[in-house]
Amino acid sequence: MDTALLAALIAAGAAIVAAAVSWFGAFQNRRTADRDQAWKRLTWAVRANRTPAEHDISRTVLERMMTVRWASKADQNLALRALRRHTPPMTDQEDP
């Protein structure tokens, strides 16, 4: 009887460990996908060639990236620095 109890405890422990590893893998996978999407948005937002309409959207993307809960502090600081360097595109009226 003791052997069966020990085997059941080992099986239960293995199932708990497997569930924890599976959850951690899923969490990391989602975080990686979120960061990849954030990187794509950031590189799009700081791209040099934009129309005035795209400029408005890219500023919004940078501003929102500073406040998303899943962004790391480094990512938020990167968005802030990019937003500080972000200049509006020149229009025909601003040409000398």
Side-chain angles (χ1 to χ4, degrees), residues 8-61:
L9 288 175
I10 290 172
I16 290 171
V17 168
V21 168
S22 177
W23 175 83
F24 184 73
F27 176 78
Q28 287 296 97
N29 189 30
R30 180 178 171 158
R31 181 160 171 81
T32 300
D34 288 344
R35 291 193 69 172
D36 180 57
Q37 184 63 29
W39 180 253
K40 287 178 183 175
R41 289 178 182 177
L42 178 67
T43 56
W44 173 83
V46 297
R47 191 180 70 209
N49 301 329
R50 287 186 302 276
T51 65
E54 285 182 323
H55 172 74
D56 292 341
I57 294 170
S58 62
R59 282 196 66 82
T60 302
V61 168

Side-chain angles (χ1 to χ4, degrees), residues 1 3 9-10 18 20 32 34 44 47 60-61 64 67-68 74 76 78 90 92:
M1 197 66 157
T3 306
L9 288 175
I10 290 172
T32 300
D34 288 344
W44 173 83
R47 191 180 70 209
T60 302
V61 168
R64 290 193 180 163
T67 60
V68 292
Q76 291 173 349
L78 180 61
M90 291 187 74
D92 293 334

Side-chain angles (χ1 to χ4, degrees), residues 42 46 59 62 77-87:
L42 178 67
V46 297
R59 282 196 66 82
L62 289 170
N77 289 337
L78 180 61
L80 177 63
R81 287 194 314 266
L83 188 58
R84 285 180 185 157
R85 293 176 183 252
H86 198 264
T87 56

